Amino acid sequence: MRAFEATQHFFDVAAEHLNISAEMREALLTPKREVQVRVTIERDNGRLANYVGFRVQHDNHRGPMKGGLRYHPDVDLDETRALASLMTWKTAVVDLPYGGAKGGIGVDPSELSPREIERLTRVFVDQIHDIVGPDTDIPAPDMGTDHRVMAWFRNQWEKYHGFNPAVITGKPVEEYGAKGREEATGRGVGTLTGKLCKRLGYKPEKTNIAIQGFGNVGSHAAKFLSESQFPIVAVSDISGTYYDPKGLNVPSLLHHKLGHPRGLMEGYHQCQCLPVNALLELNDVQVLIPAALGGVITEKNVGNIKASVIIEAANGPVHPAADKALSDRGVTVLPDILANAGGVTVSYFEWVQNRQHYRWTLDRVRQELDHTMNQAFENVWQTAQERNVSLRTAAYIIGITRVRRSAELAGFAS
């Protein structure tokens, strides 16, 4: 199943509960605009390289569109379309005044030098600068991009439109970025993991956690959860799974990762080293947090997963058929459109600060993030209880209801 089909499936399940007509479903699902551009740069060796870039703007009924910019070999129109629609429901679930968008370039950034990535970013901005802006569509970091890319993007955009740091979020703090933005998604994942476990009656010190993916999101989630007394028994990246049944030393892991030239766990020997995919199927794990790519839990491996709780830190990590199998087994899944919304929430705070020309303290950012995520969780939990549906369906019901209401107020027929 393609990425957008999976997103549409979860949308349709919730839409059935809301008795939404076929015509309204089509209106809510169809992207407002899809753009595909050629991105040609000169490599450091003097040769030309050609890539394809995308920007999908899904919906703007609740406000300017918002969504990350991803550099990854698997980026294509279908994935970008799916991620853009997820952003629409995600921003609505946490009640931010945004719509959804997503963009990216089909490229492996590990094969490019920093100067080549800068050229790539600037050429991409040249192609799309007229359809993004602080009141239209505000990009942010995603897989394969970071604060440096955001700074280059902003600088190139401002060459056309003049000074306005609110055009993009996830910028360096020195370049009008928000304190706490880098940790935001992982902190949100950690906050809601703790909240869900408490609601389910799990004691932190007796709840083993495994985190697939130890990049920005996974590492910050591990840090937050370990400081909250949860044993992190396994983490993984492309170099393997790192496992200790008694709990990993998270500060030691982070120190090793920071010292590795590619930011990997490769060479870390203070625990058992297992194959990459072993993490998903560990027997002594109660909470599994997929925090890497989408589509990692499928019909083929869902039967081997032993965890009783799954927190979707990645976008779309569970295929629909696997989601049903997990639900039938009584596994609780906290959906991506709620679990990983911490990043876009603090991006909103950054945008607000840029518009006001006023900087918040880190404590205020964290306080506002925790409040927003906790309020969204309570709304989703209550909806799930009242309607007797999964947390995923409850989140979609809330998101769709808010977007539909805005669309109707703007003139859509009911």
Side-chain angles (χ1 to χ4, degrees), residues 306-319:
K306 311 301 189 301
S308 53
V309 176
I310 295 176
I311 310 292
E312 293 188 333
N315 287 313
V318 180
H319 280 191

Side-chain angles (χ1 to χ4, degrees), residues 264-285:
L264 300 176
M265 295 307 306
E266 185 179 35
Y268 186 80
H269 299 302
Q270 299 178 39
C271 62
Q272 297 180 42
C273 298
L274 306 174
V276 174
N277 293 330
L279 180 137
L280 295 174
E281 302 176 4
L282 292 172
N283 291 316
D284 57 345
V285 168

Side-chain angles (χ1 to χ4, degrees), residues 81-342:
R81 184 185 294 140
L83 294 172
S85 66
L86 282 175
M87 286 301 300
T88 295
W89 317 127
K90 185 182 300 182
T91 53
V93 167
V94 292
D95 205 15
L96 302 179
Y98 282 146
K102 207 73 174 186
I105 301 174
V107 60
D108 185 349
S110 68
E111 296 179 352
L112 301 182
S113 71
R115 290 180 61 83
E116 289 171 334
I117 295 175
E118 179 179 353
R119 287 186 213 119
L120 185 78
T121 302
R122 292 183 182 278
V123 173
F124 185 51
V125 175
D126 290 341
Q127 301 276 31
I128 69 166
H129 71 89
D130 56 340
I131 63 167
V132 299
D135 296 310
T136 308
D137 178 5
I138 306 125
D142 200 285
M143 189 176 299
T145 61
D146 58 15
H147 61 280
R148 296 180 308 164
V149 174
M150 300 303 103
W152 294 327
F153 191 107
R154 174 200 160 202
N155 179 265
Q156 192 69 13
W157 184 89
E158 288 182 340
K159 291 179 180 179
Y160 293 96
H161 302 279
F163 175 82
N164 197 329
V167 64
I168 199 163
T169 59
K171 303 179 294 292
V173 174
E174 300 86 350
E175 292 289 322
Y176 301 92
K179 296 178 180 179
R181 174 60 183 86
E182 187 174 336
E183 69 175 27
T185 307
R187 182 180 178 87
V189 167
T191 298
L192 294 194
T193 298
K195 197 168 183 65
L196 179 59
C197 286
K198 183 177 181 180
R199 193 60 59 89
L200 295 174
Y202 292 9
K203 295 182 178 180
E205 63 275 8
K206 295 183 179 180
T207 304
N208 290 346
I209 292 180
I211 302 176
Q212 185 208 34
F214 204 60
N216 176 268
V217 177
S219 60
H220 280 102
K223 182 176 183 293
F224 184 91
L225 288 165
S226 66
E227 291 173 351
S228 303
Q229 308 307 311
F230 285 92
I232 310 298
V233 298
V235 301
S236 68
D237 59 20
I238 60 173
S239 66
T241 292
Y242 301 86
Y243 170 69
D244 186 337
K246 296 181 180 179
L248 293 162
N249 184 329
V250 173
S252 175
L253 286 169
L254 294 171
H255 180 77
H256 180 92
K257 170 183 166 64
L258 288 172
H260 190 279
R262 291 193 294 155
L264 300 176
M265 295 307 306
E266 185 179 35
Y268 186 80
H269 299 302
Q270 299 178 39
C271 62
Q272 297 180 42
C273 298
L274 306 174
V276 174
N277 293 330
L279 180 137
L280 295 174
E281 302 176 4
L282 292 172
N283 291 316
D284 57 345
V285 168
Q286 286 78 50
V287 178
L288 173 62
I289 304 180
L293 287 169
V296 297
I297 299 177
T298 68
E299 288 180 275
K300 295 181 180 179
N301 65 3
V302 67
N304 299 325
I305 291 175
K306 311 301 189 301
S308 53
V309 176
I310 295 176
I311 310 292
E312 293 188 333
N315 287 313
V318 180
H319 280 191
D323 187 67
K324 184 179 186 307
L326 292 168
S327 178
D328 291 344
R329 282 165 39 194
V331 176
T332 301
V333 179
L334 192 68
D336 47 5
I337 60 172
L338 173 59
N340 66 32

